[in-house]
Amino acid sequence: MDSLRAEADALEAEIKALRRACVELPAPGEDTSPVRQSFQDIYQSDSEGWESLKDLRSHLGHVESELQFLSSLTGISIRNYSKKMEDLTSTEMTEKNIKKVLQRHRLSGSCHMITFQLEFQILEIQNKENLSSVITDLSIIMEPTEYSELSEFVSRTEERRDLFMFFRSLHFFVEWCEYRKRTFKHFKEKYPETVHLAKGASSSYMGIRSHSRPEFELVIVWRIQIDEEGKVLPRLDLLTKAPLSALELDKNRVIETAPLSFRTLLGVLGIEATLESLIKSLCTEEQVPTQ
């Protein structure tokens, strides 16, 4: 009798277990294997990682295209860059929830034909309310050094620690240098016997000399200046070279007042038209310009 009771209890327990199993059965198509479920979790996690990597690559591609656009627009290209950070937060600052970090930056690049190296430090101080940053040191090395106008500009920029002024002024300075070079080259090709460039198209001055009157010469000195605020402006001056006999015969002081008249003409005609008129007035009767 007891054995029958024990067997009945065992069967009843098995029935209850089967009922619980039926109630807890997974939905159709759901995997009941813990190992397989873990594999699916890992696969899903990896898939999310792959999607993030694709997004990262897409973002990097977008940033690179923007950098290429800015480089073509400004002419400034950054080749190497490094950054180091130093935590200067003291114990007392930490207690006051103040964080102090010194960033050291180094970069090198170029703007058309001019290369530069920059080293600068940025001090960041952050508290509960705001974040402040200031450039505490700036050092600039530029090549080539043949542009004397850049020497004073670099010294002022280092003194002011103004990175924005440096890149902005450098861009416009190079643009004016390229324009001067193209202009001198144009007139040399158009009037090869009359226009003289002692240092080639990259020269800062251009000589205009008549073949029939070599003792008389006009010299255009074209400087590119950067003022105290970093504004880039061209400055053109006219120098005259004439024999003493010609000066004595110049009763109307045309040669003496030529530099002032040249400046007035620049304001009316502009640079290229003024240079063209000077060349033609001096020697068009003896030379037909090259087409």
Side-chain angles (χ1 to χ4, degrees):
M1 188 72 178
D2 292 337
S3 60
L4 292 174
R5 171 61 65 181
E7 186 177 354
D9 291 340
L11 290 173
E12 187 176 359
E14 186 176 350
I15 291 171
K16 289 181 179 180
L18 290 172
R19 284 177 178 174
R20 286 197 303 271
C22 289
V23 173
E24 296 173 0
L25 279 175
E30 183 177 346
D31 191 357
T32 59
S33 171
V35 176
R36 186 173 181 181
Q37 186 66 41
S38 298
F39 176 78
Q40 286 184 344
D41 292 341
I42 295 173
Y43 177 79
Q44 183 178 2
S45 176
D46 286 345
S47 299
E48 292 175 355
W50 293 336
E51 291 177 359
S52 299
L53 182 59
K54 291 178 181 178
D55 293 340
L56 178 59
R57 287 177 176 173
S58 175
H59 179 67
L60 286 176
H62 179 67
V63 171
E64 287 178 351
S65 64
E66 286 188 339
L67 286 175
Q68 290 176 356
F69 171 74
L70 289 174
S71 179
S72 62
L73 183 65
T74 64
I76 297 175
S77 176
I78 305 299
R79 294 194 304 270
N80 298 303
Y81 171 73
S82 64
K83 173 183 176 181
K84 294 182 179 180
M85 300 182 66
E86 180 181 355
D87 191 350
L88 303 180
T89 308
S90 63
T91 304
E92 183 180 355
M93 290 180 177
T94 303
E95 294 174 352
K96 296 180 180 180
N97 292 322
I98 298 176
K99 188 175 182 180
K100 188 176 182 181
V101 177
L102 181 65
Q103 300 179 9
R104 293 185 174 89
H105 301 261
R106 298 183 64 182
L107 63 88
S108 62
S110 62
C111 185
H112 293 282
M113 69 286 189
I114 297 177
T115 61
F116 56 83
Q117 297 179 24
L118 299 181
E119 293 186 10
F120 58 96
Q121 296 181 358
I122 298 178
L123 180 63
E124 287 189 348
I125 301 178
Q126 183 176 11
N127 54 32
K128 292 181 179 180
E129 298 178 354
N130 55 34
L131 171 66
S132 64
S133 60
V134 60
I135 298 177
T136 59
D137 185 60
L138 174 61
S139 175
I140 303 173
I141 299 176
M142 301 189 69
E143 293 181 356
T145 57
E146 62 189 53
Y147 299 97
S148 58
E149 301 92 340
L150 288 178
S151 179
E152 294 182 4
F153 165 67
V154 167
S155 298
R156 288 198 305 269
T157 304
E158 289 178 333
E159 183 179 352
R160 295 187 180 188
R161 300 188 292 273
D162 193 337
L163 280 174
F164 176 73
M165 184 177 72
F166 170 75
F167 285 111
R168 180 193 60 190
S169 301
L170 179 61
H171 162 70
F172 287 110
F173 179 85
V174 171
E175 286 290 312
W176 273 110
C177 285
E178 290 295 314
Y179 175 62
R180 179 178 63 187
K181 181 178 180 179
R182 291 194 304 269
T183 304
F184 281 174
K185 182 180 179 182
H186 164 73
F187 286 116
K188 177 61 178 177
E189 293 175 349
K190 190 173 183 179
Y191 303 97
E193 299 298 327
T194 304
V195 173
H196 302 274
L197 300 172
K199 297 182 179 180
S202 299
S203 178
S204 60
Y205 58 91
M206 178 179 74
I208 305 172
R209 186 165 57 246
S210 171
H211 182 69
S212 61
R213 290 170 289 178
E215 72 281 0
F216 189 86
E217 183 179 12
L218 299 177
V219 179
I220 308 297
V221 180
W222 188 341
R223 300 182 182 90
I224 302 171
Q225 297 180 334
I226 306 176
D227 66 12
E228 293 290 333
E229 302 302 321
K231 189 175 182 179
V232 182
L233 296 170
R235 179 182 175 86
L236 284 80
D237 293 298
L238 175 65
L239 304 179
T240 59
K241 178 183 176 182
L244 182 59
S245 57
L247 294 175
E248 292 175 349
L249 295 173
D250 185 16
K251 303 301 182 180
N252 295 325
R253 301 170 57 205
V254 175
I255 298 176
E256 182 182 345
T257 59
L260 182 60
S261 301
F262 173 74
R263 284 186 169 276
T264 303
L265 204 58
L266 280 173
V268 176
L269 300 180
I271 295 176
E272 293 185 36
T274 299
L275 298 182
E276 183 90 35
S277 65
L278 281 178
I279 297 172
K280 287 183 176 180
S281 65
L282 186 63
C283 52
T284 49
E285 72 277 4
E286 64 182 47
Q287 178 182 342
V288 178
T290 303
Q291 299 297 327

